[in-house]
Amino acid sequence: MTQPSDTLFSDPLRAPGPFRFDRDVVEVFPDMIRRSVPGYETVIAMTGLLAGRFARSDSCIFDLGCSLGASTLSMHRHIDASDCKIVAVDNSAAMIERCRRLLSDVGDNPSIELRGADVRDVVFTPASVVVLNYTLQFVPLEERPELLKRIADALLPGGILVLSEKVLFPDPTLNQLNIDLHHDFKRAHGYSDLEIAGKRDSLENVLIPESLDTHRARLQEVGFKSCDVWFQCFNFASLIALK
Ligand code: GEK
C-alpha cells in the first residue's frame, strides 16, 4: 500500500502553528517520520531485537508514545517469552484510533494492550522492557526526571529502557553542523527549504532536545546501573539503560 506523502508544511500562505499529533499528521505519519528522523528504521528494527533479548515471561513491555505502533510491531515479531503483554500508550486520540486498526490482525502472543493516555499518568506494572522512542522530547523538561524514575522503579532487575531522542551538542559548532546535516537529510528526502523551516518553527517549544550528557547523568540519578548510546545518526541518538 502506498503511504500518503507529507506535504503539511508546503503551503507558503499557511503560517504553521504549534505542532500537534492530529488527524492530518496521523494521515502522513509513516512518511513524515521516515523522511525526518535519520536512522528511524534502524532504531525500530533494533528495538525488536533488544526486546527479544530482554523480555521476560510474566512481565510487561511498555511502548510509550507508540504512535502507529512501529516499535510495538517490531517487538511483537521478536518476543518469544511466554505470558508477556505489550502495553502501547499514546495521548493522541487520532494516533490510537489508527494504531488500533493497524494492529487489529496481529496475533496475541504476546498480547497487545493499546491505551489512550498520557505517559505521565501511566501506572506501571513490573516490566522487563520499556521503550521511549522519540517521545520523552515532547514531555515538559521539569517532568522528565519523575517519569524516568517511575520507569526505573517499575523495571525488574536486568530490565532495559530504550530511549531514542533528538539531541543537542554542548559545542556550538558541532551543534550547528548536526542541525545542518539533519536539514541536508531532509532535503535529500525531498523536503523543500520552506517545509524544513515551517516544521522547525512548528516544533519550537514543543520538541525540546537535551544533550547526551544530560540524558546519561539523569538515567544514572534515577537508578539505572549502566547506560550509554548504542546508535546515533547526526542529532538523533538512541540509548539503552540497564536496571
Ligand atoms: C515510533 N515511538 O514510531 N503522552 C503520551 N504520548 C505522547 C505524549 C505524552 N505526554 N507526548 C507525545 N506523545 C513512535 C514515534 S512520535 C515522534 C513517536 C515524532 C506521543 C505523540 O502523540 C506521538 O504519537 C509520539 O508521542 C511521538 O517509533 O513524531 O517525532
Side-chain angles (χ1 to χ4, degrees):
M1 200 174 75
T2 51
Q3 301 284 354
S5 39
D6 168 25
T7 55
L8 294 181
F9 294 95
S10 61
D11 182 351
L13 300 177
R14 218 179 115 195
F19 191 83
R20 291 156 50 91
F21 291 96
D22 58 16
R23 233 162 251 294
D24 292 343
V25 168
V26 167
E27 205 50 50
V28 299
F29 187 75
D31 180 67
M32 171 185 272
I33 197 149
R34 184 184 58 79
R35 290 163 64 214
S36 302
V37 175
Y40 173 76
E41 281 132 325
T42 301
V43 167
I44 296 301
M46 297 309 124
T47 296
L49 289 191
L50 286 161
R53 173 174 285 262
F54 282 90
R56 289 285 161 266
S57 296
D58 295 312
S59 74
C60 276
I61 319 296
F62 286 92
D63 179 9
L64 303 176
C66 62
S67 298
L68 299 183
S71 302
T72 287
L73 270 175
S74 178
M75 293 195 286
H76 188 271
R77 235 171 261 136
H78 288 278
I79 293 174
D80 293 327
S82 56
D83 296 317
C84 278
K85 177 164 82 169
I86 303 179
V87 180
V89 181
D90 205 289
N91 68 349
S92 157
M95 280 289 184
I96 284 289
E97 190 190 315
R98 174 67 59 91
C99 186
R100 199 174 296 286
R101 266 199 276 149
L102 290 173
L103 298 184
S104 61
D105 58 356
V106 173
D108 59 2
N109 188 25
S111 64
I112 299 176
E113 179 192 329
L114 270 184
R115 284 189 203 164
D118 196 298
V119 295
R120 292 167 291 175
D121 298 331
V122 172
V123 177
F124 291 102
T125 40
S128 49
V129 179
V130 178
V131 172
L132 272 167
N133 275 344
Y134 313 105
T135 302
L136 190 68
Q137 58 197 13
F138 295 106
V139 172
L141 277 175
E142 65 281 8
E143 298 186 49
R144 295 179 190 181
E146 198 211 316
L147 173 61
L148 290 168
K149 171 88 173 73
R150 291 197 306 111
I151 291 171
D153 290 349
L155 276 167
L156 297 162
I160 190 171
L161 167 67
V162 181
L163 171 63
S164 309
E165 290 275 284
K166 186 174 193 179
V167 296
L168 50 79
F169 298 82
D171 180 311
T173 308
L174 282 180
N175 197 48
Q176 194 53 54
L177 174 62
N178 278 289
I179 291 170
D180 292 345
L181 286 164
H182 176 220
H183 291 170
D184 288 346
F185 172 91
K186 293 187 77 164
R187 245 175 248 115
H189 284 83
Y191 284 116
S192 66
D193 289 344
L194 174 82
E195 289 174 293
I196 293 170
K199 178 86 175 282
R200 187 197 56 213
D201 293 351
S202 177
L203 283 171
E204 186 81 29
N205 300 320
V206 175
L207 187 169
I208 302 174
E210 297 173 283
S211 72
L212 284 169
D213 284 347
T214 300
H215 282 296
R216 276 188 285 250
R218 189 173 46 208
L219 288 167
Q220 304 246 307
E221 266 162 37
V222 301
F224 287 97
K225 262 200 321 238
S226 314
C227 69
D228 218 329
V229 172
W230 70 269
F231 179 83
Q232 185 175 346
C233 185
F234 306 141
N235 47 352
F236 288 81
S238 186
L239 299 101
I240 47 177
L242 304 177
K243 177 82 178 289

